[in-house]
Amino acid sequence: MRLYAVVAAGGFRRYTTYRTATAAGVFTNTVFGFILAYTYIALWDERPQLGGYDMSQALTYVWIGQALLAACAMMGGGFEDELMERIRTGDIAVDLYRPADLQLWWLAGDVGRAAFQLLGRGVVPMLVGALAFDLALPGSPWTWPAFLLSVLLGIVVSFALRYLVALSAFWLLDGAGAAQIAWLLGLFFSGMLLPLNLFPGLLGEVARMLPWSSLLQIPADVFLGKHTGWGLVEVYAFQGGWAVVLLLAGRLLQTAATRRVVVQGG
């Protein structure tokens, strides 16, 4: 495990070198936070308590989304492009024969990336939002660790989804199409555009059961105190269940890809 801790630390340090990109990301998240916030204000003025949120909670949801956008890679931007390029060039063969688990290696690096993005691109927009608007901040100090645990589970689910997308490059000529589809699904079904509680009927029920809800909708509701006690255990189980299922699917796909490489190499 020490190896993967070092990989995670390296992933964190790697992103600290992109200072200009980080500053640009903070600026972009803040600007879009204001755009969405004023859009939500207009919407909630017309429909108070929409989706079970009051105005303050709806605005808090907006800024949580901006804080988690990069950390949970809802629009991509993690390891997947690099992994697909290594598959395309054949360099992945070297990775598969290394004495380290391929999936854990990339997971550790992505957790390090996410930790930096949460601190580097998430904290400042959230602080700006708290200064500019009346946000519904947690009253209990225990809500913060509960929220961070939900965020961590969301990061693992996000990784598992993107790992599956990246491994599709073993069978596709170019994985860019699969990555774009995953990007659109993540943006829509995570609740980034609108909370999933606002989706009507069957669409809303399906959206809340999909793994992308773990990236934003569930962590935001934990932050807002919508899940407490046994309800909190249930949403953790939901996120953890999806993480296990998707990681196992990635493991199976990785095994199939390894066999493919061995056959072609032989």
Side-chain angles (χ1 to χ4, degrees):
M1 294 304 295
R2 183 174 180 275
L3 169 64
Y4 302 111
V6 171
V7 172
F12 186 95
R13 288 195 302 270
R14 176 183 179 183
Y15 279 84
T16 62
T17 61
Y18 304 139
R19 297 183 180 88
T20 302
T22 299
V26 169
F27 176 78
T28 302
N29 287 145
T30 303
V31 169
F32 275 96
F34 275 100
I35 293 172
L36 285 174
Y38 285 113
T39 303
Y40 275 41
I41 288 172
L43 183 58
W44 259 260
D45 276 339
E46 293 295 323
R47 297 282 302 277
Q49 299 297 325
L50 185 62
Y53 301 121
D54 59 28
M55 179 73 78
S56 181
Q57 291 173 330
L59 292 172
T60 304
Y61 185 96
V62 167
W63 291 102
I64 292 173
Q66 295 307 307
L68 297 183
L69 178 62
C72 290
M74 284 176 261
M75 297 177 65
F79 68 94
E80 56 270 26
D81 290 340
E82 182 180 352
L83 180 53
M84 285 190 290
E85 179 63 16
R86 293 189 67 81
I87 294 171
R88 189 188 67 81
T89 60
D91 292 339
I92 191 66
V94 177
D95 300 336
L96 291 171
Y97 284 107
R98 285 175 179 166
D101 184 84
L102 183 71
Q103 188 182 55
L104 288 177
W105 177 281
W106 288 100
L107 173 59
D110 198 57
V111 168
R113 174 207 61 80
F116 173 79
Q117 297 289 21
L118 185 62
L119 295 173
R121 286 187 58 174
V123 172
V124 173
M126 191 70 184
L127 288 175
V128 172
L131 291 172
F133 301 95
D134 180 23
L135 302 188
L137 300 178
S140 170
W142 295 107
T143 303
W144 292 95
F147 167 68
L148 291 176
L149 178 55
S150 183
V151 170
L152 176 60
L153 290 171
I155 289 168
V156 176
V157 171
S158 172
F159 164 81
L161 287 166
R162 289 176 289 123
Y163 190 70
L164 287 170
V165 170
L167 290 184
S168 70
F170 275 106
W171 291 270
L172 303 175
L173 293 177
D174 186 357
Q180 288 178 351
I181 292 172
W183 174 81
L184 291 172
L185 290 173
L187 191 63
F188 186 76
F189 286 113
S190 66
M192 188 66 212
L193 299 178
L194 278 175
L196 301 182
N197 296 341
L198 274 62
F199 288 17
L202 182 61
L203 175 61
E205 294 179 11
V206 171
R208 288 188 290 272
M209 293 302 296
L210 293 175
W212 291 281
S213 65
S214 297
L215 278 58
L216 172 56
Q217 183 67 58
I218 291 177
D221 281 343
V222 170
F223 187 90
L224 294 170
K226 300 291 185 180
H227 301 295
T228 57
W230 183 250
L232 192 59
V233 175
E234 289 179 342
V235 295
Y236 286 158
F238 176 85
Q239 290 181 290
W242 267 120
V244 170
V245 168
L246 292 169
L247 288 172
L248 286 176
R251 180 73 59 178
L252 291 174
L253 203 61
Q254 176 183 312
T255 301
T258 302
R259 291 173 180 169
R260 182 184 178 91
V261 170
V262 170
V263 169
Q264 290 180 344

